[in-house]
Amino acid sequence: MDTELPDEHRMVRETVRDFCETEIEPIAQEIEDEHRFPAEIFDQLADLDMMGVPVDEEYGGLGGDTLMYALVAEELGRVSGSIGLSYVAHTSLASKPLEQFGTRAQQERWLRPLAEGEHLGGWALTEPDSGSDASDMDTTAERDGDEWVLNGTKQFITNASEAGSILVKAVTEPDAGYDGISTFIVDPHEDDGFEVTTVWDKMGLNASPTCEIRLENVRLPEDRLLGEEGEGWTQTKQTLDGGRISIAALSTGLAQGAYEHAKEYSKEREQFGQPICEFDAVRDKIVDMHRKTERARLLTHRAARTYGKGEPVTRESALAKLDASEAAREVAEDAVQVLGGYGYTTDFAPQRFYRDAKLMEIGEGTSEIQHLVIGRELGL
Ligand SMILES: Cc1cc2nc3c(=O)[nH]c(=O)nc-3n(C[C@H](O)[C@H](O)[C@H](O)COP(=O)(O)OP(=O)(O)OC[C@H]3O[C@@H](n4cnc5c(N)ncnc54)[C@H](O)[C@@H]3O)c2cc1C
């Protein structure tokens, strides 16, 4: 794979890998145990120009392509699922839609600080009663003179407690179905009526805040509508095409991290007078971990390249997400097994990869929903 990457991409990957190994890996378990969002890591990523990798330089981004962004997401996932998840939600869910659908003034006001890493962004689609069936939302935005008034609750919103802006989906025309949904830019610090009501404790990814938010008569001026009124669902589908590539990349990173830990351990650990990697059962497991990780990477890179060319990518991004998330969970589970009893302790990383990987089969459309999407794309 390496030989296929342009020099610039390899350089970015090396820079991020270096940073991950020196700054993130040493604290990766500690931030999980403490359920602490590591703001300092995101400041450092901003110093490295990594907070707006696929965003145009005109808006403060790095101007890289989707493949470069996928490489960064993979490197972060290789050491910390939490940091990777907050990073991809910030980039593909919160920043890219502002670049794709925002006015020049909105890009200057809201995208630039995200791309330059001044603060994190969030994206709020899911609600307590609508997840997979996301368009069946209850959050409303009603016109009142030249303002919009938002009311509703959003569930499981990554970064909401740390974000400087959140893109919120709301119904603007109740009887118009998919065409009655719009997107609004909410400022969690300045807009009255916005509240983070819960930061969830989870089975993994606890250094990435997952929040319930309430919007109670949040009044927004006209210029907080992103794109046209009624475009919110079309935007959502496009955003998820990109978002699923991010989750695929993050999953590939988790699989890679778990595989490396297991491989190293298997060469050092001796039982019955020989390293355990010399037992066929252990070697075959590690070979399969490698095979699954490489397959996930190939599908992810293919989807990223297709997205970058502006070609239809729904099938490829759903395939990559479905495969890579499954690979991450399976590889991480096998890594725990290769480490035996030590794999079950928090002194070793595989258990963390295992717990983090499970989310990848749920977020941005569950595996069951990816099957639906792919089936539809295949004309079934
Ligand atoms: C850590 C974390 C971070 C998240 N971050 C965000 C975020 O930043 N922004 C955001 O908007 N959302 C976010 N989410 C929400 C996430 O996208 C949803 O949880 C996910 O889409 C599933 O929705 P649900 O939880 O309501 O499950 P449900 O839709 O209730 O699904 C429950 C089960 O039913 C199955 N199911 C549902 N419908 C079908 C069907 N038609 N066919 C077959 N099976 C079906 C599902 O696959 C699943 O197994 C996050 C969630 C988590 C846990």
Side-chain angles (χ1 to χ4, degrees):
M1 279 309 294
D2 267 20
T3 50
E4 294 171 25
L5 289 176
D7 286 351
E8 204 188 349
H9 290 63
R10 267 188 280 182
M11 254 169 54
V12 165
R13 188 180 59 181
E14 265 164 43
T15 305
V16 177
R17 178 167 293 193
D18 216 43
F19 173 73
C20 286
E21 288 179 352
T22 52
E23 303 296 331
I24 301 182
E25 203 162 28
I27 61 163
Q29 186 63 41
E30 178 190 311
I31 57 177
E32 292 303 322
D33 295 343
E34 295 172 356
H35 292 207
R36 180 174 77 78
F37 171 75
E40 74 282 8
I41 294 293
F42 288 90
D43 290 342
Q44 288 168 284
L45 283 168
D47 291 342
L48 290 173
D49 258 353
M50 290 299 143
M51 294 307 288
V53 171
V55 174
D56 203 289
E57 284 163 299
E58 195 182 345
Y59 314 120
L62 191 67
D65 58 13
T66 312
L67 181 61
M68 186 183 283
Y69 162 61
L71 292 171
V72 176
E74 180 183 331
E75 288 307 318
L76 294 172
R78 180 174 162 267
V79 292
S80 167
S82 280
I83 290 171
L85 182 66
S86 280
Y87 178 83
V88 299
H90 162 88
T91 310
S92 62
L93 301 183
S95 305
K96 279 306 273 184
L98 286 163
E99 185 177 38
Q100 287 168 312
F101 314 118
T103 62
R104 193 73 187 86
Q106 286 172 331
Q107 286 158 346
E108 205 45 51
R109 167 75 182 80
W110 301 103
L111 176 57
R112 182 174 292 283
L114 293 177
E116 291 180 350
E118 208 176 288
H119 51 229
L120 279 187
W123 185 80
L125 171 69
T126 308
E127 299 190 355
D129 294 326
S130 77
S132 300
D133 189 7
S135 65
D136 187 33
M137 62 182 70
D138 293 325
T139 298
T140 55
E142 289 176 25
R143 268 188 195 280
D144 184 20
D146 55 5
E147 287 184 324
W148 290 96
V149 184
L150 269 65
N151 278 289
T153 302
K154 292 289 178 183
Q155 190 62 282
F156 302 138
I157 309 308
T158 300
N159 296 341
S161 55
E162 303 292 332
S165 63
I166 301 178
L167 300 180
V168 175
K169 305 285 170 181
V171 174
T172 42
E173 203 183 332
D175 298 323
Y178 292 130
D179 295 330
I181 296 168
S182 305
T183 312
F184 295 88
I185 309 166
V186 172
D187 184 332
H189 302 295
E190 298 294 331
D191 295 333
D192 290 338
F194 173 93
E195 194 188 349
V196 174
T197 40
T198 308
V199 180
W200 291 94
D201 286 333
K202 309 185 290 291
M203 69 180 270
L205 300 165
N206 277 302
S208 171
T210 306
C211 309
E212 180 180 274
I213 61 178
R214 189 175 303 141
L215 302 133
E216 211 176 315
N217 292 321
V218 174
R219 302 188 79 86
L220 303 176
E222 280 282 359
D223 66 2
R224 298 292 193 83
L225 176 69
L226 182 67
E228 298 294 318
E229 185 181 337
E231 266 185 6
W233 187 250
T234 316
Q235 292 174 2
T236 297
K237 287 198 294 184
Q238 281 187 47
T239 300
L240 288 175
D241 277 346
R244 285 170 183 160
I245 298 171
S246 312
I247 296 291
L250 186 49
S251 301
T252 304
L254 290 169
Q256 179 70 30
Y259 154 74
E260 285 177 24
H261 278 279
K263 187 176 151 201
E264 285 317 305
Y265 185 88
S266 74
K267 290 196 282 190
E268 284 161 21
R269 176 70 171 175
E270 292 192 5
Q271 291 292 288
F272 300 96
Q274 64 181 55
I276 58 170
C277 67
E278 290 175 14
F279 296 114
D280 290 353
V282 174
R283 184 206 53 218
D284 290 355
K285 216 183 271 304
I286 290 168
V287 169
D288 276 346
M289 292 162 83
H290 176 60
R291 171 174 63 84
K292 289 175 187 175
T293 307
E294 289 286 296
R295 189 184 66 203
R297 183 175 292 118
L298 283 169
L299 282 169
T300 303
H301 287 192
R302 189 181 71 170
R305 287 190 161 104
T306 305
Y307 185 94
K309 285 188 240 162
E311 291 171 5
V313 73
T314 303
R315 184 183 63 92
E316 290 185 8
S317 67
L319 263 181
K321 198 260 183 192
L322 177 63
D323 188 78
S325 60
E326 192 179 282
R329 196 236 321 133
E330 289 176 0
V331 170
E333 182 179 354
D334 281 347
V336 172
Q337 192 69 16
V338 168
L339 268 74
Y342 293 107
Y344 202 65
T345 71
T346 54
D347 276 14
F348 292 82
Q351 46 74 35
R352 183 158 46 80
F353 288 110
Y354 188 29
R355 289 184 283 125
D356 293 353
K358 186 60 210 167
L359 182 271
M360 307 302 145
E361 296 182 306
I362 296 171
E364 301 210 23
T366 62
S367 294
E368 290 79 4
I369 295 302
Q370 303 311 315
H371 279 93
L372 281 185
V373 171
I374 297 163
R376 211 182 295 136
E377 289 292 310
L378 296 178
L380 301 172

